[in-house]
Amino acid sequence: MSLTKTERTIIVSMWAKISTQADTIGTETLERPFLSHPQTKTYFPHFDLHPGSAQLRAHGSKVVAAVGDAVKSIDDIGGALSKLSELHAYILRVDPVNFKLLSHCLLVTLAARFPADFTAEAHAAWDKFLSVVSSVLTEKYR
Amino acid sequence: MGHFTEEDKATITSLWGKVNVEDAGGETLGRLLVVYPWTQRFFDSFGNLSSASAIMGNPKVKAHGKKVLTSLGDAIKHLDDLKGTFAQLSELHCDKLHVDPENFKLLGNVLVTVLAIHFSKEFTPEVQASWQKMVTAVASALSSRYH
């Protein structure tokens, strides 16, 4: 599965807007699965997960920054996320089902914050893009 | 199976009260067909589904989307007995429509996304959590009579 030119254009242009709210988007993107899919918290026993937690904010920023890296290298997401892919495969070992949950919650965050931009076409492009990112992050699992 | 707290029920019911079922239905079904094009397999009789704009403007998509969400709206009045409420529809989806229950999960998440677009800031993580419970429970109820 690879992104069409149109899809890449949609992602890249929306990212310009998204990056202006990167930090708050990051925090919200993590809060959502923790509430909607509480099992995702099992990967963070060492975190203070209360709203406003500095750890949550820092980690959210990390996640959004990584998505940004993928956007900036949208023609070679595998290359851009290679190290992260190894991290997830050998150290973090997050069960692959969770990438779908986090992707969905990132989509919901974007939809809520950029309703006018989140057309059906944009929705499809983002769902596909995050699916590619998730594949890259799990491709070294076995 | 997810258990709805009184707060969940209040959240779900109050948000639903503000939803235009016709618009949201068309949006939700349309987006399902756009974002997950393989779901078009169930709708060969719907005519032009050749592009995102064709799908979103298709009158059959809008009408069917309204039907689906109207049914969901009825179910919201019976949150404590979704299995009973959807028993017949479950049999229909299995025996006549032959719909893989995976599609119920896809539709549920598309609905959540449509609600996020519509309600924006109001669609907080807490509100989403109640609605995820809702769509999960509906998906489960709709697949409960499969055999």
Side-chain angles (χ1 to χ4, degrees):
Chain A
M1 179 171 42
S2 74
L3 300 163
T4 65
K5 217 168 177 191
T6 310
E7 286 161 351
R8 290 175 213 209
T9 306
I10 290 172
I11 304 284
V12 169
S13 67
M14 272 186 73
W15 190 256
K17 272 194 185 182
I18 291 165
S19 51
T20 63
Q21 297 178 30
D23 282 351
T24 46
I25 284 176
T27 309
E28 189 179 325
T29 299
L30 288 181
E31 280 174 349
R32 288 185 182 278
F34 292 154
L35 283 174
S36 284
H37 313 285
Q39 67 272 23
T40 55
K41 292 187 293 184
T42 57
Y43 293 97
F44 300 93
H46 53 300
F47 264 34
D48 164 18
L49 295 180
H50 292 107
S53 138
Q55 282 178 309
L56 205 59
R57 211 171 37 236
H59 198 69
S61 296
K62 252 189 195 171
V63 171
V64 170
V67 175
D69 288 343
V71 174
K72 279 172 215 127
S73 301
I74 202 162
D75 295 328
D76 180 23
I77 297 172
L81 299 186
S82 173
K83 285 252 141 36
L84 257 186
S85 180
E86 286 171 9
L87 182 75
H88 283 78
Y90 307 130
I91 315 288
L92 302 178
R93 294 172 288 186
V94 173
D95 190 284
V97 73
N98 293 284
F99 292 99
K100 279 194 179 178
L101 301 180
L102 184 68
S103 295
H104 169 64
C105 288
L106 174 54
L107 277 194
V108 169
T109 301
L110 296 182
R113 284 170 179 254
F114 305 99
D117 298 281
F118 214 72
T119 60
E121 255 189 317
H123 183 168
W126 274 97
D127 194 285
K128 197 172 165 186
F129 169 71
L130 292 175
S131 179
V132 171
V133 169
S134 302
S135 289
V136 165
L137 290 177
T138 53
E139 76 187 353
K140 298 173 188 178
Y141 269 40
R142 56 177 169 171
Chain B
M1 214 339 47
H3 163 75
F4 296 104
T5 63
E6 288 310 305
E7 209 178 329
D8 286 326
K9 292 183 198 176
T11 298
I12 291 164
T13 309
S14 77
L15 205 82
W16 194 251
K18 299 186 251 185
V19 169
N20 178 312
V21 169
E22 183 163 3
D23 291 345
E27 272 297 311
T28 301
L29 186 62
R31 280 170 186 262
L32 180 77
L33 301 174
V34 169
V35 178
Y36 310 109
W38 54 94
T39 58
Q40 293 169 25
R41 70 189 300 283
F42 301 107
F43 301 103
D44 279 339
S45 64
F46 272 28
N48 187 3
L49 300 179
S50 60
S51 67
S53 54
I55 291 169
M56 300 311 286
N58 184 310
K60 286 189 171 176
V61 171
K62 289 183 184 189
H64 196 69
K66 181 181 177 187
K67 212 185 196 180
V68 171
L69 287 201
T70 300
S71 172
L72 203 96
D74 291 340
I76 287 175
K77 298 175 197 142
H78 305 281
L79 287 175
D80 289 326
D81 182 28
L82 288 176
K83 281 207 163 68
T85 305
F86 280 116
Q88 280 189 301
L89 269 176
S90 179
E91 285 174 11
L92 179 80
H93 281 75
C94 172
D95 299 330
K96 295 272 167 358
L97 304 178
H98 311 293
V99 175
D100 179 344
E102 187 62 28
N103 292 284
F104 306 144
K105 293 183 192 169
L106 292 180
L107 186 75
N109 280 338
V110 172
L111 173 59
V112 165
T113 308
V114 168
L115 293 176
I117 292 168
H118 191 84
F119 291 102
S120 196
K121 277 196 165 54
E122 203 184 330
F123 203 69
T124 62
E126 289 78 7
V127 170
Q128 179 189 351
S130 297
W131 273 93
Q132 295 289 168
K133 268 192 189 177
M134 171 69 189
V135 300
T136 300
V138 168
S140 173
L142 271 174
S143 52
S144 64
R145 292 288 181 109
Y146 272 58
H147 59 100

